[in-house]
Amino acid sequence: MRPSRLDVSQLTCRAGRHTLLQDVNLTLVPGEHVALLGANGAGKTSLLRAILGLLPATSGEIRLDGRLQPRPCPATWPKAMAWIPQRPPRGQVPFRVKDLLAAPSAWAWAQRLGIAPLATRPLTHLSGGELQRVFIARALGQVAAGTGLVLADEPTAALDFEGQDEIGAILTALPVTMLLITHDPAQAARCHRALTMAHGKLRPYASAL
Amino acid sequence: MESSALMPALFDLLCLAPVQRGFVATILTGITLPIVGVAIVALGIYPLRFTMMHVALLGLAIGQLTGTAPTLVAVFLCALTGAGLGATAYRPQDATSAMGFLMPMAIALAFLVLAAAGVHAADAFALLWGSILVASWAEIALVAVVGLGLLVLAIIFRQELSLTLLDPELAWTNGIETRRLSIFLFTGLAVAMAAAVRLTGALLVDAVTILPALTARALATSLPQMALLAMAAGLTGNLVGFALALLLDAPPGPILVLTAGALTLTTHTILKLRRRS
């Protein structure tokens, strides 16, 4: 596994008349963990979606290990990233846990995170915390398989205190590059650096970490 | 009719050519079209079926006006509409507004075309109603080709499809070109529904698509299981409905819908009672 380098320069994203991101500059050196804090609607998730290629950039550029994100962005682009979504999907039809964790590396993490007994359960029958663990196991499986960048959007928001500590410690120990959105200053303090977002603009986090 | 006389009576009716064609169409639509319903339920694009009913009706009307095979025009128009919806929708759910626009436009145009073609109101109503007993072999062959084609494609692309049906964005981040897949999905669904409209009628196409899928969703624990159960429910509902329609000498369309509906309702009720106990 080789941690990735991420470069975001002068990134602006607009949706209609709304500016979601404005002139965002961000560099994550290989192995660096950066926490991203900010009020709801500040643009944190939009930044992650733009990096993944889910939100098209109006201007600016995104590079992963020096490779420029193509426009239009193809689906091959985000394959080099592990994404833990803020609201993991449950689907409208039954989709079993084990179908989502079919990769051996993901299944190994499922066992470690205690969700292996849920293997045959549909995602629609899981609690919020269980569902979040499934998607964390999936992302950790991708990391084990060689993915060098983790984009985690409030990955522990639905977990109990114990779970937050457990997953927080696992994520912190990952030898990858990671951009972590959180509202928890303690979780942010575990990262190498913290930034804050307001009105689509990125600033250094003012609080003493 | 006594119960002992029911089976012979059914076999006698099955000797008639229209009944034979209807029987084949019943089996074909029962097996293939519930797959369309599974995709519609999974993507939450329920308005698609109404949109396609309206667009298919416009196609049938244009066919009547121009003297071209109405079903083929309906299929072609629905394919175009499906591809357009798939291409413009970032996520399948985003197509809802476009579908809301298309529905009244298509039906308004259909009425205009029907008026221009001088089609009698009763004949126009027949387009909405349809009947599995008046299907021609060509129409049945069209449903067979479209339905079985969709089934084969669904099996080949099952992994890509299942992740897309769970969440298009998650699928996309896994390297699946969901935008291209959306065009294929919408076109396939649209064509299948248009092909079936002549058999079941525009208003009743739900019986062979959505209702079996809803029955299966209540029972299944995985997507492949849901697809198989939907096909089983579709086939059972269609065969029972078809037999009832023949025995009661009633129009098959509504009987098929009511049978499929009864199956869905019974399944949900039994499951609810079981959960309570």
Side-chain angles (χ1 to χ4, degrees):
Chain A
M1 178 202 314
R2 196 175 58 83
S4 303
R5 179 189 172 91
L6 178 71
D7 292 290
V8 177
S9 14
Q10 294 293 310
L11 179 69
T12 295
C13 294
R14 290 199 184 94
R17 283 183 294 173
H18 299 284
T19 301
L20 305 174
L21 299 170
Q22 193 171 3
D23 297 326
V24 172
N25 290 296
L26 172 70
T27 294
L28 268 71
V29 296
E32 188 179 26
H33 291 187
V34 172
L36 192 54
L37 298 103
N40 295 330
K44 305 181 297 296
T45 298
S46 295
L47 177 58
L48 246 63
R49 290 171 60 81
I51 294 168
L52 284 160
L54 287 168
L55 177 67
T58 309
S59 62
E61 58 181 45
I62 298 166
R63 286 177 187 273
L64 185 67
D65 292 325
R67 274 189 314 128
L68 184 67
Q69 185 190 66
R71 284 189 203 164
C73 188
T76 45
W77 172 262
K79 275 196 86 177
M81 309 171 201
W83 177 41
I84 305 172
Q86 185 182 24
R87 279 187 289 273
R90 290 178 186 276
Q92 303 280 328
V93 293
F95 205 91
R96 286 173 304 188
V97 169
K98 69 175 180 185
D99 295 332
L100 209 57
L101 303 174
S105 54
W107 187 245
W109 273 106
Q111 287 171 314
R112 191 170 155 187
L113 296 182
I115 47 173
L118 308 174
T120 54
R121 251 208 248 169
L123 299 182
T124 44
H125 293 188
L126 300 183
S127 73
E130 288 170 335
L131 186 67
Q132 200 152 40
R133 276 176 184 268
V134 170
F135 279 81
I136 290 167
R138 193 166 195 273
L140 292 172
Q142 286 175 273
V143 169
T147 301
L149 175 66
V150 173
L151 301 171
D153 196 348
E154 299 183 41
T156 59
L159 303 181
D160 52 36
F161 288 131
E162 215 172 283
Q164 287 181 15
D165 275 349
E166 180 198 0
I167 301 296
I170 290 170
L171 291 176
T172 310
L174 286 179
V176 290
T177 309
M178 182 163 62
L179 185 57
L180 168 76
I181 294 178
T182 182
H183 290 292
D184 178 8
Q187 203 173 34
R190 287 174 167 158
C191 295
H192 300 119
R193 183 154 73 94
L195 299 166
T196 187
M197 218 161 189
H199 308 296
K201 291 180 182 172
L202 211 52
R203 298 191 184 108
Y205 185 46
S207 169
L209 295 174
Chain B
M1 195 182 294
E2 282 181 33
S3 59
S4 58
L6 286 180
M7 291 312 282
L10 264 181
F11 284 121
D12 285 346
L13 286 169
L14 276 172
C15 294
L16 304 170
V19 179
Q20 284 172 356
R21 288 198 298 270
F23 183 66
V24 173
T26 297
I27 292 172
L28 271 174
T29 52
I31 292 173
T32 57
L33 292 176
I35 296 295
V36 172
V38 170
I40 289 174
V41 170
L43 293 170
I45 48 169
Y46 294 94
L48 181 74
R49 62 202 210 277
F50 298 119
T51 309
M52 289 311 143
M53 290 172 201
H54 290 70
V55 174
L57 190 71
L58 174 60
L60 294 173
I62 292 172
Q64 296 234 335
L65 179 68
T66 58
T68 322
T71 309
L72 283 182
V73 181
V75 168
F76 178 70
L77 212 57
C78 283
L80 274 183
T81 309
L85 285 171
T88 50
Y90 181 63
R91 291 173 305 173
Q93 295 89 330
D94 295 342
T96 312
S97 307
M99 289 190 243
F101 170 78
L102 277 171
M103 275 189 264
M105 295 298 115
I107 203 79
L109 281 170
F111 285 143
L112 266 182
V113 173
L114 285 172
V119 173
H120 194 267
D123 295 335
F125 192 68
L127 293 177
L128 287 169
W129 203 242
S131 173
I132 213 151
L133 290 173
V134 297
S136 67
W137 281 120
E139 285 163 344
I140 293 168
L142 181 70
V143 172
V145 170
V146 171
L148 294 174
L150 272 182
L151 204 58
V152 169
L153 287 172
I155 292 168
I156 294 171
F157 295 108
R158 62 188 177 280
Q159 280 180 333
E160 290 88 344
L161 274 173
S162 62
L163 209 54
T164 304
L165 294 182
L166 171 65
D167 183 55
E169 289 196 339
L170 185 71
W172 196 79
T173 59
N174 274 267
I176 298 164
E177 285 291 353
T178 43
R179 285 164 207 171
R180 254 182 256 160
L181 200 62
S182 274
I183 297 174
F184 154 72
L185 249 179
F186 272 86
T187 309
L189 300 182
V191 165
M193 296 188 86
V197 155
R198 281 289 274 187
L199 305 188
T200 60
L203 290 173
L204 304 176
V205 78
D206 271 10
V208 285
T209 54
I210 302 292
L211 293 175
L214 291 177
T215 305
R217 184 170 68 169
L219 296 166
T221 56
S222 70
L223 194 56
Q225 199 184 37
M226 182 177 165
L228 288 173
L229 283 170
M231 288 161 77
L235 187 60
T236 308
N238 271 16
L239 285 176
V240 173
F242 188 70
L244 280 175
L246 290 178
L247 293 170
L248 300 171
D249 194 20
I255 299 290
L256 285 180
V257 178
L258 291 172
T259 311
L263 200 61
T264 309
L265 197 64
T266 309
T267 309
H268 278 82
T269 309
I270 290 172
L271 286 174
K272 234 175 200 173
L273 289 174
R274 256 199 207 169
R275 274 185 210 129
R276 270 190 202 165
S277 63

